[in-house]
Amino acid sequence: MSARDRILARLRAAQPAPTDAKALADLLAAGVLLGEPGGEDSLADRIASFRAAMTASHGEVHDATEANWPDLVAQLCAAKGIPRLLVGQNTPHGVRLAAANHPGLEFWAGALPGKPGNSKAEHREAAAWKERLFHHTPASLTQARGAIAETGSLVLWPDAREPRTLSLVPPIHFVLLPVAQIHRSFHGLLRKEGWGTATVLPTNALLVSGPSKTADIQQTLAYGAHGPKELIVLLVHPAPQSGDQR
Amino acid sequence: MTDTSSHAAPLAFLSPEAFQARARAVVENPALQGSFRGAMDFLMQKRAAQFPHSDQLEELRTLSEAIRQHALSRLPDLLEQLEDRLTRNGIQVHWAETPAEANAILLKLCAEAGAKRVVKGKSMVSEEIEFNHACAAAGVDALETDMGEYIVQLAGEKPSHIIMPAIHKTKEDIARLFAEKLPGVGYTENVDELIRIGREVLREKFLEADVGLSGVNFAVAETGTLCLVENEGNGRMCTTVPAVHIAVTGIEKVVEKLEHVAPLYRILTRSATGQPVSTYFNMISGPRRPGEQDGPEEVHLVLVDNGRSQAYADSQLQRTLQCIRCGACMNHCPVYTRIGGHAYGTTYPGPIGKIVSPHMLGLHATRVLPTASTLCGACGEVCPVRIPIPDILLRLRGENQGAAPLPAPQEHRHPLPEAGSGRKPLERLAFGTWAFIYSRPVLYRSFLWLASRLRQLTPRHQGGWTDHRVPLKPATRTLRDRLRERSAR
């Protein structure tokens, strides 16, 4: 018998009667506890709530439109003295930034090293890219799939075009968030989109709620522990003026 | 910078046996007492601020408890489902009954990856199995990357709190530690600067490491997803940058559906550090897929039993497995607040540690721990999944005496090995005699009569009592006599 079989056999021998699944489903459906107010919930409310929570978590929030966000990114980069900005290849926002001649725009151009079984040349090339990503990439920009108003959390959905480290390694991270994708709560979002059932999960789905932080030294909050030190969210409103959305 | 872990102080094992001596040492150290008091007050206030409405908190606790019990009552089925889904997602699953088995699996995986260095995200199960010791013995460099864990590793210590590992250290301690252990680093008490130093040192290690190790907060059976909760981003680094990611966790961490994670995540961060949400919530559902540019090529999950199936066998003790490791019971424990986490000598300190450690280390090794409680009930009141910690402490006290009190017929009782470990002949004789006399009216009255007459003979030294107090002496007249006299007036 393997360790697996012995463990499972011990658990089976002691397994109690299953709890009432229907009762739990009913409790879960009563989403009131999960930050989903029973009444109406407008987009303006969700935007306001997201903004407040993200700001409280030390994230920077700016309003932009479909039309002007590349200009705003350029302005923010200039104001913060960011010389280069890394974006995913073949992404619509990468194309937009390129069309806007964003200064210092750089596209992801490599892969992180895998296991040593891969060819030596491949490995060297990958190591060089990793080195560039870690040491010579001051900022990145990615798209958010959505957001959670209640906790000010961004939903990131890395894929082949937008790798996982793109939102993790560079010290400054810009995120484009289409406002229509702001949901009330995490639970509501999971239920609506059926993550893992109706919606295929990516390798690494993420919620990001502010810049990286730690309070491990005498409960003193410090930002930029291992991930980005600054998180800059651009709320992308569909109409020319953000005010129209309210 | 040069190799960090070689500068770290050597690791030491702690044991719960020396609990009293260590507890005394802390109680006699006012500076340490101040650190704990301040930190726990801070955490308690932050938690309270997250739950302004007690009815909402109670509803969320009800739901969280139901989710955990739902999973535990289906545990073997869910573990099989989890294994099946993870395997389909390309994550390799391993099972270990003991810490030795778990370490052997982990070291074999490291060897197969050709790993000289392992970067570690926070994992209490890796502490529980003493993975760092196993690595040291095997010549593998295991480096903690959570800032708090990194600090305690540099100091050659173990975490003193499951959420805030370095809570026993002041910034001055850490400033001295960095200046002493890290080459080229001067003394600074500036916290931002200290964190910046840690970031720089550890970034290089993420670049170089062959294997990343992490814990798991929730393993979702239905989707084959491993969920990790963190603030720093080191968990993401460890699970994303190295070519191989190994997750290690206890068999109780499984939940059925991803939907079940939402309420648990909600109550976890609020209970733990009083945050409405953590910076990162990381849901891993497989290794790097074709066409992807990063992420590990291999992902493994090691499921560890280490006494959990023993707890599972008893319906009362099974409830210890509901734990989501928030640490709120520690933050609210008057004993933990005075003695800190190291005194316990167990991986999991505080109230939860006292009720899970007997299954990992045995009743005998942990026999003194259930007595380190005032039974004030705070731990049970704040527990987000309503583990009846005080009841279980009483149960363990009973087990330690070889007699489990309050048998409930409808419940499944499973006798624990090493029952009776805490039994002391003198103590039993004293209480046996007391029970014998006090349950017999004639004997009882004669005893009282004699005691008040012979009061001058009571000893001046009465064990620990007279260390700080005047000796106890029977009154000249019994309470019964006085009451009788008063009612006659």
Side-chain angles (χ1 to χ4, degrees), chain A residues 50 54 60-63 154 173 175 177 231-235:
Chain A
F50 174 86
M54 178 52 93
E60 221 177 286
V61 182
H62 299 273
D63 287 287
L154 296 161
H173 179 206
V175 184
L177 170 63
L231 179 70
I232 302 157
V233 181
L234 274 67
L235 292 173

Side-chain angles (χ1 to χ4, degrees), chain B residues 80-90 220-224:
Chain B
E80 283 185 321
Q81 188 186 13
L82 176 72
E83 182 185 41
D84 176 62
R85 295 301 141 85
L86 287 172
T87 309
R88 278 201 244 167
N89 289 348
V220 185
E222 189 180 71
T223 60

Side-chain angles (χ1 to χ4, degrees), chain A residues 24 27-28 33-34, chain B residues 59-67 263:
Chain A
L24 177 59
L27 270 181
L28 281 162
L33 342 146
L34 304 176
Chain B
E59 282 179 83
L60 188 56
R61 289 177 77 205
T62 302
L63 179 57
S64 303
E65 181 189 22
I67 289 170

Side-chain angles (χ1 to χ4, degrees), chain A residues 54-140:
Chain A
M54 178 52 93
T55 310
S57 303
H58 218 72
E60 221 177 286
V61 182
H62 299 273
D63 287 287
T65 64
E66 261 310 323
N68 76 4
W69 71 257
D71 300 338
L72 182 59
V73 172
Q75 281 165 28
L76 289 167
C77 284
K80 290 172 186 287
I82 298 169
R84 280 189 314 282
L85 182 70
L86 186 67
V87 295
Q89 227 164 27
N90 303 321
T91 50
H93 41 280
V95 172
R96 284 285 302 277
L97 285 170
N101 287 321
H102 184 89
L105 183 67
E106 201 176 329
F107 287 95
W108 178 283
L112 257 54
K115 293 195 68 175
N118 303 355
S119 89
K120 277 223 163 89
E122 241 175 51
H123 216 268
R124 248 197 321 273
E125 207 174 295
W129 175 250
K130 184 155 82 166
E131 170 73 21
R132 175 152 187 87
L133 179 68
F134 269 75
H135 291 307
H136 305 287
T137 306
S140 65

Side-chain angles (χ1 to χ4, degrees), chain B residues 434-479:
Chain B
W434 173 75
F436 186 82
I437 295 172
Y438 273 54
S439 55
R440 286 164 179 79
V442 175
L443 260 182
Y444 170 72
R445 277 194 292 272
S446 330
F447 171 72
L448 283 191
W449 183 88
L450 206 63
S452 49
R453 299 304 178 286
L454 301 178
R455 54 193 294 274
Q456 296 307 334
L457 296 180
T458 40
R460 293 161 76 83
H461 298 287
Q462 300 173 348
W465 179 264
T466 41
D467 287 354
H468 303 285
R469 301 171 191 84
V470 293
L472 292 169
K473 213 181 253 189
T476 47
R477 293 165 61 224
T478 68
L479 182 65

